[in-house]
Amino acid sequence: MKGRGMHLKVQTPRLKAYASSSSVRDFGGRNMNQAKIGTMVNGSNCYNDPKLLHQKKAAIRLAGPSKFQVIADFDNTLTKFWVDGYRGQSSHALLQQENPEYNAKRDELFNYYHPIEYDPQIPVDEKTKLMEEWWGKTHGLLIEGGLTYDAIRNSVASAVIAFREGVVELFEFLEERDIPVLIFSAGLADIIEEVLRQKLHRTFKNVKIVSNRMKFDQNGNLVSFTGKLIHSLNKNEHALDMAASLHDHLGEVDDQLIDSASVKKRTNVLLLGDHMGDLRMSDGLDYETRISVGFLNHNIENSLDSYRKGFDIVYLDDAPMTGVVKLVSELFSPASD
């Protein structure tokens, strides 16, 4: 579960992009001997192979918006890593139960499992089992501790969480062109929806949320979770079966709901994430062209090499979403195209 929010101001160095001499891989997965080959560093972002990126953009532009979709992680991707100097909270971490004993128990789990989640030395298979264990225990504590929907509303209202600059513009641009946005999150769908309500004060007809969803009784008490458990390392398009339209839960009717079949026909993908596991969000989609964008928010020196190997574009230092807005504008502008 991504970064637990802390109400302490922390001073950390803002590292800028750089190219090391370690081995990297280009967009097609081919090994490259030196980082300087095909890698371009520009301010707070880096491109592995500008020529191939140009080719991908041309292919997506030629196919048009009807073949395109965006798959995005939520925590620390659509939302900021830092909020007014404070560590931003995730959709899991912002939640405060009425019984503080259970908040403490979830904190203990965080302190144990969170270092494991980001440890590059632990094999993925082993780490995946540990993430399943962590998420399962946490969900059990939420039920056992008597979580209510009122607690969710109150938690979001007081949370240290904010969207990156440019997210609203991105959603608006895509909505105008009927391009679906699938928000894949290892967090909690009910909390994500509440964050959208309270922080953006609007909805978007093209947005779907694929995340862990709660089931409440008639009194607003959490009784169970529905669907397959989604954690940081197993998010992929197989989870579309449990996806729900945001408008369904906000009481709005939309006649053009995005279903799994139509999504799979959109074979050009823009993938947005902040975790190496986010690259697997498109595993269930037989895509033709994919541009992957990674937001590397912390531990930059130790993680940049692996992020460059995995993502086509890497943004550093908790960058705004404006670079992505520029990217999609280059692909599909003006709206009549």
Side-chain angles (χ1 to χ4, degrees):
M1 294 172 193
K2 298 174 183 177
R4 178 185 57 175
M6 297 186 295
H7 296 276
L8 297 174
K9 283 201 172 182
V10 183
Q11 297 297 323
T12 59
R14 297 296 191 176
L15 300 177
K16 296 298 181 182
Y18 63 92
S20 70
S21 60
S22 58
S23 175
V24 298
R25 184 175 58 190
D26 71 7
F27 296 111
R30 298 180 293 274
N31 289 327
M32 302 169 66
N33 292 327
Q34 300 293 329
K36 64 182 180 180
I37 302 176
T39 299
M40 183 176 76
V41 180
N42 181 16
S44 59
N45 54 281
C46 56
Y47 305 86
N48 200 6
D49 188 333
K51 182 178 179 180
L52 187 52
L53 178 59
H54 177 77
Q55 293 172 352
K56 287 189 171 189
K57 289 163 64 175
I60 292 174
R61 188 182 299 114
L62 181 63
S66 65
K67 290 290 187 179
F68 187 71
Q69 65 176 301
V70 175
I71 299 175
D73 172 54
F74 185 76
D75 294 316
N76 301 327
T77 297
L78 296 178
T79 62
K80 295 180 179 181
F81 192 80
W82 296 100
V83 181
D84 297 329
Y86 293 84
R87 175 67 175 86
Q89 294 176 299
S90 71
S91 58
H92 254 116
L94 67 81
L95 185 58
Q96 295 296 307
Q97 296 174 252
E98 288 90 342
N99 188 334
E101 175 186 351
Y102 285 89
N103 294 327
K105 289 181 177 180
R106 288 189 292 118
D107 283 347
E108 291 176 4
L109 292 178
F110 175 91
N111 292 332
Y112 176 77
Y113 286 103
H114 184 253
I116 296 173
E117 180 181 10
Y118 285 94
D119 189 338
Q121 304 303 319
I122 300 177
V124 173
D125 289 346
E126 178 182 348
K127 188 182 293 188
T128 296
K129 293 179 181 179
L130 291 168
M131 294 302 99
E132 291 175 355
E133 183 177 278
W134 181 13
W135 261 253
K137 289 179 179 179
T138 297
H139 290 180
L141 289 175
L142 294 176
I143 297 172
E144 182 182 334
L147 179 68
T148 66
Y149 199 87
D150 283 342
I152 291 178
R153 291 193 188 95
N154 295 334
S155 295
V156 171
S158 61
V160 181
I161 190 169
F163 288 93
R164 293 181 190 268
E165 290 84 358
V167 166
V168 171
E169 290 80 358
L170 176 64
F171 284 180
E172 288 177 342
F173 182 93
L174 297 170
E175 183 180 47
E176 290 172 0
R177 290 155 182 80
D178 296 321
I179 296 172
V181 178
L182 303 182
I183 298 177
F184 277 47
S185 175
L188 299 164
D190 306 82
I191 294 179
I192 292 172
E193 290 167 357
E194 191 63 32
V195 172
L196 288 166
R197 287 188 188 95
Q198 294 192 27
K199 304 301 180 181
L200 297 186
H201 308 292
R202 61 164 297 180
T203 62
F204 298 88
K205 66 181 181 181
N206 58 326
V207 172
K208 283 179 81 83
I209 297 176
V210 182
S211 187
N212 298 293
R213 188 166 293 281
M214 301 174 176
K215 183 177 181 180
F216 295 88
D217 64 20
Q218 59 185 4
N219 297 317
N221 299 307
L222 175 63
V223 295
S224 65
F225 285 81
T226 62
K228 180 183 177 182
L229 177 69
I230 299 178
H231 56 76
S232 60
L233 297 182
N234 77 341
K235 294 181 296 184
N236 56 60
E237 291 253 353
H238 296 298
L240 279 173
D241 292 338
M242 65 174 289
S245 168
L246 180 60
H247 283 250
D248 282 348
H249 294 271
L250 296 185
E252 297 184 25
V253 178
D254 183 76
D255 294 331
Q256 298 179 341
L257 296 180
I258 309 161
D259 57 33
S260 178
S262 65
V263 163
K264 291 180 182 297
K265 292 178 181 178
R266 292 176 176 265
T267 52
N268 293 327
V269 178
L270 173 62
L271 184 147
L272 309 175
D274 77 300
H275 194 290
M276 291 299 295
D278 292 337
L279 287 165
R280 301 177 61 184
M281 292 189 296
S282 58
D283 280 359
L285 182 67
D286 187 18
Y287 59 83
E288 295 178 4
T289 305
R290 183 186 77 171
I291 296 176
S292 56
V293 175
F295 289 86
L296 180 51
N297 301 303
H298 69 123
N299 197 24
I300 295 175
E301 184 174 0
N302 294 326
S303 301
L304 180 58
D305 186 61
S306 61
Y307 272 64
R308 285 186 304 159
K309 291 177 181 179
F311 292 95
D312 296 341
I313 305 171
V314 180
Y315 289 102
L316 309 181
D317 201 26
D318 203 18
M321 194 62 68
T322 50
V324 177
V325 175
K326 180 181 179 182
L327 172 62
V328 296
S329 298
E330 293 171 353
L331 295 175
F332 307 115
S333 191
S336 59
D337 284 356

